[in-house]
Amino acid sequence: MPIIQQLIQPNVEQPAQHSNDKQWSLKQVQFSAAMQLYESRSIYKNINKLVAWLNVSLQVGLLVILLQLDLNFLWHIVVLVAAFVLADFVNGFVHLYMDHNDHYASLVGPFIASFHLHHDIPRYEDKPIWRIYIDESGSKIWLLVFLIIWLSLFLLGILPTVFFGLGVYFAIWSSIAEISHYLCHNSDSKSVRFFQSCWILLPKKHHMRHHRLDNVNYAFLNGMTDPLINWIAAYFYHGYQKTTDQHTALYIKARQAKGLTTR
């Protein structure tokens, strides 16, 4: 019997004292099952790799097209800055939604479960920056859908050049956001600290509030749109520390029983 099943079997057989406890116990079982699927079936990691390369390839291809269009330098700067703000907000909003997403038994459940482990990883595996850009783009299935739609609208002649450029730069900033988040966790270099102090990269002190507190500071390009996202979070959600953060407990316990880390 797999070790996760050994750990959860007693919890399944014993009735919970409160309805919320019962719901969390079920979610813990579903989370563990979803992670077993993610780790035992290569299709999930292969999908991540495919999405990563499609995202990056489309970004490069669309940028090449954009640079050949009649858009002057000033407009490039305008859409570049606007896309930066938009990417910080949208990626933060997706982060907000995903942190509260507990549909582990759904078709995409293994991806959702894998995402939730990021709160249990204070430092990520050291990789070259270009690898972070590519690899972390693999979790952005929503971005691939956006890029396909954006390219289709452009080919149909529906998108003005300015809006096309906005979408292209938005997609690139969205992947760069993963680098900003990675450096926030992994780097203490003076150059990174300088850019963080200028709010060009995500400041570590600002982002650590997301891990230490509950339901705040979801943006991770530079965090400038967090005041708006925090308002949305407070209005629509009750936080994740007593819900989805608890769903990882059985999986982590099973890993520890094998002498393994979270990842």
Side-chain angles (χ1 to χ4, degrees), residues 145-159:
V145 174
F146 166 79
L147 284 169
I148 292 173
I149 293 174
W150 215 243
L151 175 60
S152 300
L153 292 175
F154 174 75
L155 293 176
L156 291 172
I158 298 175
L159 278 181

Side-chain angles (χ1 to χ4, degrees), residues 51-200:
V51 171
W53 283 103
L54 287 175
N55 269 330
V56 174
S57 297
L58 282 170
Q59 288 172 14
V60 172
L62 293 182
L63 180 61
V64 170
I65 294 173
L66 175 63
L67 295 177
Q68 294 176 347
L69 298 177
D70 185 20
L71 188 66
N72 64 45
F73 179 76
L74 179 60
W75 273 113
H76 274 285
I77 299 300
V78 170
V79 296
L80 195 65
V81 173
F84 185 95
V85 178
L86 185 62
D88 188 67
F89 173 76
V90 172
N91 283 270
F93 183 80
V94 172
H95 184 188
L96 165 65
Y97 170 75
M98 287 299 297
D99 267 2
H100 294 85
N101 189 343
D102 61 0
H103 297 108
Y104 311 122
S106 68
L107 185 64
V108 295
F111 296 112
I112 297 171
S114 177
F115 174 86
H116 280 306
L117 290 175
H118 76 279
H119 283 167
D120 297 299
I121 305 175
R123 181 182 177 88
Y124 295 93
E125 178 186 352
D126 290 320
K127 295 180 181 180
I129 294 300
W130 65 268
R131 278 287 306 278
I132 298 298
Y133 188 99
I134 295 174
D135 291 351
E136 295 303 319
S137 294
S139 65
K140 296 179 178 291
I141 298 175
W142 64 269
L143 183 60
L144 177 59
V145 174
F146 166 79
L147 284 169
I148 292 173
I149 293 174
W150 215 243
L151 175 60
S152 300
L153 292 175
F154 174 75
L155 293 176
L156 291 172
I158 298 175
L159 278 181
T161 302
V162 171
F163 284 98
F164 176 69
L166 180 66
V168 174
Y169 286 132
F170 162 76
I172 294 172
W173 283 127
S174 293
S175 290
I176 292 176
E178 300 294 342
I179 295 176
S180 183
H181 178 246
Y182 167 83
L183 292 174
C184 184
H185 280 268
N186 280 48
S187 178
D188 288 317
S189 74
K190 291 183 178 180
S191 57
V192 169
R193 287 181 181 178
F194 171 76
F195 286 115
Q196 289 174 340
S197 67
C198 298
W199 287 79
I200 296 173

Side-chain angles (χ1 to χ4, degrees), residues 184 196 199 202-213 217:
C184 184
Q196 289 174 340
W199 287 79
L202 179 65
K204 181 172 293 188
K205 184 177 179 180
H206 177 83
H207 180 62
M208 286 305 107
R209 287 175 56 84
H210 174 71
H211 291 274
R212 293 170 183 163
L213 303 180
N217 293 12

Side-chain angles (χ1 to χ4, degrees), residues 24 31 98-102 104 116 119-120 239-249:
W24 289 353
F31 181 93
M98 287 299 297
D99 267 2
H100 294 85
N101 189 343
D102 61 0
Y104 311 122
H116 280 306
H119 283 167
D120 297 299
Y240 47 81
Q241 290 187 352
K242 293 183 179 180
T243 52
T244 53
D245 268 9
Q246 301 299 316
H247 300 163
T248 65

